[in-house]
Amino acid sequence: MARNIEIKARIDDFSAMYEKLALLADGLPDIIDQDDTFFICPHGRLKLRTFAPDRGELIFYQRPDQAGPKTSFYQLTETQDPDSLRETLTLAYGVSGRVIKQRTLFMTGQTRLHLDRVKHLGDYLEFEVVLDEEETPEQGIAIAEDLLEKLGVERQELVDQAYVDLLNAKGKHHQD
């Protein structure tokens, strides 16, 4: 399975963080609308990410809930029929939550920088330092820590939970 190091932080000023990311990034960002449906899964997380009626990804991942850098293991499968796949998985496993967001994706080197506007939740910054097979988690953590410092993100702003868990805690898990 592929691996990355992830960090997530709550942000108060979307525009200011956008400007900081634009200065670090390798190019212009992509704006991506994402509708994630999470299914009940005892050994990790299983989500269907829909980009368009004919384009989605089924993603299985395992990652600890902790603040700061954490290693995520994931497997991704593309689909051309996300709505039908959502119906099948809902019947088979049941839905545990849904997250609708607009993601502004910047790249810097091997790191994906996400500026996320999450419906019913607010604005967040998330990085994914994509590790190649030879790289250790410690190398990825060092990159993530360096980015936190460059962006001026404070430790108390770090978030240890997935968006779906934050929404479920607010009672917003099935609202569109």
Side-chain angles (χ1 to χ4, degrees):
M1 282 201 288
R3 299 173 302 146
N4 63 31
I5 300 297
E6 294 187 16
I7 289 187
K8 185 179 296 169
R10 179 99 170 91
I11 57 168
D12 294 323
D13 189 336
F14 186 94
S15 298
M17 185 57 70
Y18 184 101
E19 288 178 22
K20 289 180 186 180
L21 293 174
L23 290 173
L24 282 178
D26 297 335
L28 294 173
D30 289 322
I31 310 292
I32 309 163
D33 289 313
Q34 298 179 342
D35 181 347
D36 293 348
T37 303
F38 287 79
F39 302 96
I40 296 166
C41 179
H43 306 294
R45 294 185 189 267
L46 182 65
K47 71 180 171 188
L48 176 64
R49 171 164 290 162
T50 302
F51 300 106
D54 63 346
R55 196 164 72 85
E57 297 171 341
L58 184 63
I59 305 164
F60 170 76
Y61 65 99
Q62 295 174 313
R63 138 186 113 208
D65 286 335
Q66 65 188 43
K70 47 196 158 281
T71 304
S72 178
F73 299 90
Y74 61 96
Q75 179 75 37
L76 189 145
T77 303
E78 293 184 6
T79 179
Q80 275 82 54
D81 191 358
D83 290 341
S84 177
L85 186 55
R86 180 185 298 107
E87 287 175 31
T88 302
L89 290 167
T90 298
L91 290 170
Y93 298 109
V95 171
S96 63
R98 191 164 180 186
V99 178
I100 297 170
K101 65 181 173 290
Q102 184 175 74
R103 170 163 284 174
T104 303
L105 166 64
F106 291 92
M107 292 295 299
T108 179
Q110 71 201 71
T111 304
R112 298 166 58 88
L113 302 166
H114 304 152
L115 201 48
D116 290 338
R117 293 212 118 138
V118 185
K119 192 169 187 177
H120 302 300
L121 208 55
D123 297 336
Y124 290 81
L125 169 67
E126 183 181 79
F127 330 145
E128 294 175 354
V129 183
V130 181
L131 299 176
D132 66 33
E133 287 190 25
E134 299 82 44
E135 283 182 300
T136 64
E138 290 73 26
Q139 288 171 295
I141 288 168
I143 292 168
E145 295 280 2
D146 182 56
L147 282 168
L148 280 177
E149 197 172 310
K150 284 180 178 167
L151 293 168
V153 176
E154 301 292 328
R155 289 270 159 213
Q156 66 268 18
E157 296 171 296
L158 298 182
V159 176
D160 61 353
Q161 290 182 293
Y163 296 137
V164 68
D165 296 331
L166 294 169
L167 284 166
N168 284 344
K170 286 181 72 170
K172 298 282 189 185
H173 54 289
H174 289 298
Q175 295 187 12
D176 289 280

